[in-house]
Amino acid sequence: MKKLISTIVVLVGMGILPLMAQTGIIKGFVYDAANGQPMPMASVTLVGTKMGVATDAAGFFLFLRVPAGNLTIKVSYLGYQDYLQALTLANGGIEQMVVQLKQSTIEMGAATISAERLRMQKMNPVSSHHLTQVTLNKIPGLTGQSDIAEYLQVIPGIIFSGDRGGQFYVRGGEPVQNLVKLDGMTIISPFHSIGFASVFDTEAIGSVDVSTAGFGSSYGGRISSVIDVKTRVGNRREFKAKTTATTFGYGLFVEGPLKKMTEKDPSSVSIILSNKGSFIRESSKFFYPYLDTMGIPFQYNDFFGKISLVGRNGDQLDLTGIHFTDVAEYSGLMKTTSETSGGGARFLATPSGSRLLFEEAVNFSEYRSEFLEEGRRPRRTRYNSLDATMKVFYNGSLMKLEWGTEINVIHTLHIFAEKNLYQEKQYYTTELLTYVDTHFDTGRFLIEPGLRLHYYADQSYFSPEPRLKIRYRISDYLNLNFASGLYSQNLVSTTSSDDVVNIFQGYYIGPGLVQDTYRGEYVDDKISLAWHGVLGLSYFGPENLKLSVEGYVKDYYRMINFNRYKIYDLVVNSPNQVEPYPEYLTKSFIIEKGWAYGVDFLADWNTANWNVYLAYSLGYVTREDEFMDYVPHFDRRHNLNLVAGYKLGKKKTWELKTRWNLGSGFPFTQSYGIFETMVTGYGRFTLDPTVSGQAVIWYGPLNGGRLPWYHRLDISVQRIFQVFKNQSIELNFSVMNVYNRLNVFYIDRITLKRINQLPILPTVGINWRF
């Protein structure tokens, strides 16, 4: 029997080996010939066969088990000329190529819409939004140019705190629970104090992927949402520049090749340099004299730089650096300052003998912030992280796979100043993780199972996190979509729930200041944990109409939040020391639970001239702490956004855009009254004259009140003048809050002085492209 089995194995092997030897591999990258940008979703086929694939985000494609011999490869993309190349594939050979596609005379607006349709056919749209520069430009540019912050506000499920404050909440998650990445760097505060300006320069953006729930296992360390911003490479063919000057601020963007890409030699070195900032704090006194004496007290300055090196075979090295600053100052009331710095390196390569694409990256980022308030001690925070990652991509016709591993070293420093308690805490920790994301497309079903293994070294906590996304194609236009997964995070925030509007975020990592029990039960691991479930329908019709409706649930079954009950600041000198007070009165952080659930509706219609967009969210958010159930301050029940744009003129040189937002009022903790303190000192019953007479607030039930409804109308008009062949001037006029709605921003509880959101605010700007 053994001899028979051995004979069969040898014969089978002798039959298989020749078959294996008669095939080979073809792989490569596809770029835009005009500027050298990678082209995702380009169609690559082998003429005369049924073999075909689409390029990934890096423009990479791969064919396995290609029959050896003479072949013709075809690369096509809507709006570009087809590329054909004949080649001879040797037995067991590997052919690697770089393709440069040239634009055709097809109208690029129609091509962009058709490319979006192709992309939608290849992915599961559940709770996912893929943004490009074309997408971002649909929203009125209130600073003179489009901005991510403006577009995010119209995505269903996302709530912004208003024109001032710059905080966003995603389907019941808090700002600290949103993961924001810029080319792999962790960005703690992506938005400036003025709510419609982000730290990102739209001109540098390649793509933005927003996941409001149910995101895949390649993302983690946060339990609510993901915003992944990827910048593009600089123009590899010629130098381009854009200057911007508005009543709001300024901008300068430069890109070009240090070593030019050519048809014969695709290798290149290109750069991007960007600087944008505001001078509205000074200019508002001149342009907007109707404002109060404070004017518009915001100022920011953002620097971005990137160098990209590409080899002859498409291998790429990117070096990136950032520096963002922000100041908001209300004289006599409060002042916030923040600063973000960082840098990173990313290497993308497919070795000549490999069928895989490899990516290695090292990134560092640091965030510092300070909050000063009249009559109180300052609050300060600092967060920095060093990340090293390695990813492997397999891009087959029926299955795609991504495997990655990562190590994160994180440091936080926070100075607490709440309820007359003052302390400084800093902490270091390390996170280790590995994950695998897979993608199986059977035609009718698109199945994406994934698994993330996340280890928090400081707590010796191992978190296995399965993820699953499924799309079922009901018809060519209608899909049923599902997503679910488990999520964890170690970072917590020290936002005060006593603020009518929260404008400061402090950050802390580590278990030392966290309550040990929850409602009488001991909790071993001080890690926030959540489960997401999403089910919805999506429609992409022949008239370029996109519709979607999604129901979602987020179970935040363990959360670490700032402890509003703390009134004592104890120092433990020995492990056997017994604290005289309950820990819910002494710990800085408390354990909570919560739910977020709701329904989001989206309608999006695009033509060559028109775009119409409607998004409505109905959401509920609840929390449960040691003593009570309550709603957090961002529990906005209804949120509606209407966006419309129209291009006119023979060459579409005029563009009109408008956006209207309506939102129900945020919860806030009411003040029942104010009374004078009656404090005794030195163990006697006599009054202390040094403190008597200070005002103390008598608070009502937590978030028991509701602010008025918020609504605002914005419009913008743009006119483009083609000066020379490669030069154009864009004139912009925009008006924020057209009918001057008085939306509340901040109320000082002692003086009852009210600061509103921004009033009617016209802006004029000019962009010069050359």
Side-chain angles (χ1 to χ4, degrees):
M1 179 63 71
K2 291 183 179 180
K3 185 176 181 179
L4 177 60
I5 294 175
S6 299
T7 302
I8 293 174
V9 170
V10 171
L11 292 175
V12 171
M14 292 175 63
I16 291 177
L17 288 175
L19 291 176
M20 293 178 61
Q22 292 174 4
T23 63
I25 295 173
I26 301 176
K27 60 181 180 177
F29 293 87
V30 179
Y31 298 114
D32 188 330
N35 51 33
Q37 300 295 323
M39 299 189 65
M41 303 306 298
S43 174
V44 187
T45 59
L46 296 179
V47 178
T49 74
K50 296 182 179 181
M51 302 183 71
V53 296
T55 56
D56 64 11
F60 179 72
F61 67 88
L62 171 70
F63 287 100
L64 297 175
R65 296 181 295 278
V66 180
N70 297 324
L71 303 165
T72 299
I73 192 165
K74 178 181 178 181
V75 184
S76 57
Y77 194 89
L78 290 166
Y80 289 77
Q81 300 176 20
D82 288 347
Y83 174 92
L84 294 170
Q85 179 176 329
L87 55 87
T88 301
L89 183 64
N91 293 339
I94 298 178
E95 289 288 335
Q96 185 166 341
M97 55 196 305
V98 173
V99 177
Q100 300 181 51
L101 293 185
K102 297 179 179 180
Q103 293 184 7
S104 68
T105 57
I106 296 176
E107 185 177 342
M108 291 307 295
T112 300
I113 294 172
S114 299
E116 172 67 7
R117 181 183 304 279
L118 177 62
R119 191 190 68 83
M120 293 289 289
Q121 292 174 354
K122 300 292 184 180
M123 52 88 69
N124 186 340
V126 62
S127 301
S128 299
H129 305 267
H130 181 77
L131 314 180
T132 64
Q133 288 192 26
V134 174
T135 314
L136 298 174
N137 283 322
K138 295 178 181 179
I139 306 297
L142 303 179
T143 62
Q145 56 185 340
S146 59
D147 195 286
I148 292 178
E150 295 168 359
Y151 196 93
L152 289 176
Q153 296 179 44
V154 305
I155 292 178
I158 295 184
I159 303 295
F160 263 71
S161 57
D163 319 332
R164 314 176 192 242
Q167 297 177 19
F168 70 107
Y169 306 84
V170 183
R171 285 181 169 176
E174 301 178 19
V176 71
Q177 296 164 355
N178 303 316
L179 176 65
V180 181
K181 291 284 190 178
L182 173 61
D183 287 343
M185 288 178 283
T186 300
I187 306 298
I188 287 294
S189 182
F191 306 106
H192 290 298
S193 296
I194 193 163
F196 50 83
S198 74
V199 300
F200 311 110
D201 190 336
T202 302
E203 289 293 322
I205 289 175
S207 65
V208 183
D209 290 297
V210 181
S211 297
T212 56
F215 44 91
S217 58
S218 59
Y219 299 108
R222 299 295 188 273
I223 60 174
S224 182
S225 72
V226 173
I227 299 177
D228 189 5
V229 180
K230 292 184 174 66
T231 61
R232 60 186 180 86
V233 299
N235 195 306
R236 294 166 174 167
R237 290 284 191 172
E238 58 183 334
F239 274 94
K240 298 280 187 177
K242 174 187 175 183
T243 61
T244 300
T246 72
T247 52
F248 187 90
Y250 64 90
L252 175 63
F253 181 86
V254 179
E255 61 174 325
L258 301 179
K259 179 183 182 301
K260 185 180 296 187
M261 171 186 283
T262 64
E263 291 187 18
K264 294 182 179 180
D265 183 6
S267 64
S268 69
V269 180
S270 63
I271 63 169
I272 286 179
L273 296 175
S274 167
N275 174 224
K276 63 184 180 72
S278 69
F279 40 68
I280 192 67
R281 186 166 63 176
E282 292 77 18
S283 64
S284 63
K285 300 173 185 178
F286 176 79
F287 292 111
Y288 314 109
Y290 55 86
L291 297 176
D292 57 30
T293 56
M294 293 184 183
I296 305 178
F298 301 105
Q299 186 174 5
Y300 64 81
N301 206 335
D302 302 328
F303 291 91
F304 172 82
K306 182 175 183 177
I307 300 177
S308 298
L309 300 87
V310 177
R312 295 182 63 89
N313 293 326
D315 300 339
Q316 181 173 322
L317 173 65
D318 297 328
L319 304 174
T320 306
I322 59 171
H323 184 73
F324 312 134
T325 60
D326 181 86
V327 178
E329 183 173 8
Y330 292 86
S331 178
L333 288 177
M334 58 183 176
K335 178 181 180 181
T336 64
T337 61
S338 65
E339 179 179 323
T340 299
S341 301
R346 168 181 173 264
F347 181 63
L348 187 71
T350 174
S352 59
S354 173
R355 64 185 64 184
L356 302 173
L357 182 65
F358 295 86
E359 178 183 319
E360 293 86 26
V362 177
N363 294 288
F364 172 80
S365 62
E366 179 176 67
Y367 171 77
R368 298 170 181 259
S369 182
E370 180 181 62
F371 178 70
L372 304 175
E373 192 173 14
E374 183 70 18
R376 296 188 181 184
R377 291 185 174 183
R379 299 181 234 176
R380 297 187 181 94
T381 192
R382 178 181 176 187
Y383 172 97
N384 48 37
S385 66
L386 176 63
D387 309 329
T389 65
M390 185 184 74
K391 300 177 182 179
V392 179
F393 302 90
Y394 169 77
N395 187 20
S397 57
L398 297 178
M399 187 192 80
K400 297 179 181 179
L401 182 144
E402 177 183 343
W403 172 79
T405 185
E406 184 174 339
I407 178 171
N408 306 326
V409 180
I410 301 172
H411 165 244
T412 60
L413 171 65
H414 188 78
I415 295 178
F416 300 81
E418 293 290 336
K419 299 178 181 177
N420 297 321
L421 303 179
Y422 194 78
Q423 60 181 318
E424 178 179 316
K425 295 292 182 181
Q426 69 174 336
Y427 198 79
Y428 294 87
T429 187
T430 301
E431 298 177 1
L432 305 173
L433 62 98
T434 187
Y435 69 87
V436 60
D437 256 337
T438 55
H439 177 112
F440 300 92
D441 192 348
T442 66
R444 183 69 68 177
F445 280 95
L446 177 62
I447 305 173
E448 299 174 274
L451 177 65
R452 185 181 183 90
L453 305 176
H454 204 125
Y455 179 70
Y456 298 92
D458 63 313
Q459 301 192 49
S460 300
Y461 181 77
F462 176 74
S463 177
E465 300 169 14
R467 316 277 174 86
L468 177 63
K469 299 174 73 174
I470 300 175
R471 186 199 71 191
Y472 174 70
R473 180 172 294 169
I474 300 174
S475 69
D476 290 340
Y477 306 123
L478 185 64
N479 295 316
L480 177 65
N481 311 307
F482 169 79
S484 182
L486 297 178
Y487 305 88
S488 67
Q489 86 172 60
N490 200 10
L491 186 67
V492 295
S493 169
T494 62
T495 299
S496 172
S497 297
D498 295 338
D499 294 332
V500 175
V501 175
N502 291 288
I503 56 177
F504 174 77
Q505 291 283 314
Y507 298 96
Y508 172 77
I509 201 166
L513 304 178
V514 182
Q515 182 182 7
D516 290 324
T517 60
Y518 176 75
R519 298 198 169 186
E521 296 184 3
Y522 184 79
V523 178
D524 280 323
D525 307 299
K526 311 306 188 298
I527 298 290
S528 295
L529 302 170
W531 169 82
H532 298 180
V534 188
L535 182 64
L537 288 170
S538 62
Y539 171 87
F540 197 167
E543 301 299 326
N544 300 316
L545 173 64
K546 288 194 295 184
L547 300 173
S548 70
V549 58
E550 289 184 355
Y552 68 89
V553 176
K554 290 184 178 180
D555 178 8
Y556 298 101
Y557 56 92
R558 184 191 299 164
M559 302 178 65
I560 312 298
N561 280 338
F562 187 72
N563 184 9
R564 68 185 62 86
Y565 302 113
K566 178 179 177 178
I567 58 175
Y568 298 111
D569 189 13
L570 298 183
V571 177
V572 179
N573 297 317
S574 69
N576 297 322
Q577 177 179 336
V578 178
E579 296 183 359
Y581 306 107
E583 63 174 359
Y584 63 82
L585 299 179
T586 63
K587 294 286 188 177
S588 297
F589 297 94
I590 195 170
I591 296 174
E592 295 187 351
K593 293 183 178 181
W595 287 88
Y597 51 94
V599 178
D600 291 337
F601 175 80
L602 172 65
D604 190 6
W605 178 61
N606 295 276
T607 68
N609 295 325
W610 278 98
N611 71 271
V612 179
Y613 180 99
L614 181 148
Y616 169 73
S617 297
L618 172 65
Y620 296 82
V621 186
T622 63
R623 293 287 187 268
E624 173 188 299
D625 66 16
E626 187 78 14
F627 302 102
M628 64 178 176
D629 298 343
Y630 69 97
V631 296
H633 62 83
F634 51 89
D635 176 42
R636 170 165 281 175
R637 188 72 65 246
H638 305 279
N639 195 49
L640 172 68
N641 277 282
L642 297 174
V643 179
Y646 180 65
K647 294 181 180 180
L648 62 159
K650 291 184 178 180
K651 297 184 178 180
K652 300 182 178 61
T653 54
W654 285 90
E655 185 171 11
L656 309 177
K657 292 180 282 190
T658 183
R659 175 210 172 195
W660 185 64
N661 176 220
L662 173 68
S664 55
F666 288 119
F668 76 103
T669 302
Q670 297 168 308
S671 299
Y672 277 174
I674 301 175
F675 60 92
E676 291 184 296
T677 56
M678 302 292 288
V679 180
T680 61
Y682 307 106
R684 299 190 298 269
F685 289 99
T686 57
L687 296 179
D688 188 339
T690 63
V691 295
S692 295
Q694 288 184 349
V696 175
I697 300 169
W698 179 18
Y699 293 104
L702 181 64
N703 292 333
R706 289 271 176 174
L707 295 174
W709 280 63
Y710 175 98
H711 50 91
R712 194 184 86 194
L713 174 66
D714 305 328
I715 62 172
S716 73
V717 181
Q718 177 180 280
R719 174 69 161 93
I720 301 177
F721 298 90
Q722 196 69 37
V723 181
F724 299 106
K725 180 179 180 181
N726 295 319
Q727 293 190 38
S728 65
I729 292 178
E730 302 169 4
L731 297 181
N732 298 279
F733 174 71
S734 64
V735 182
M736 186 186 75
N737 198 4
V738 173
Y739 51 81
N740 200 29
R741 165 70 176 179
L742 301 180
N743 296 299
V744 65
F745 165 62
Y746 180 83
I747 298 176
D748 186 282
R749 293 182 183 273
I750 302 297
T751 65
L752 299 183
K753 185 173 182 178
R754 169 173 166 164
I755 299 175
N756 289 318
Q757 304 280 359
L758 293 176
I760 182 171
L761 189 69
T763 302
V764 178
I766 181 171
N767 299 322
W768 178 29
R769 296 180 183 271
F770 57 94

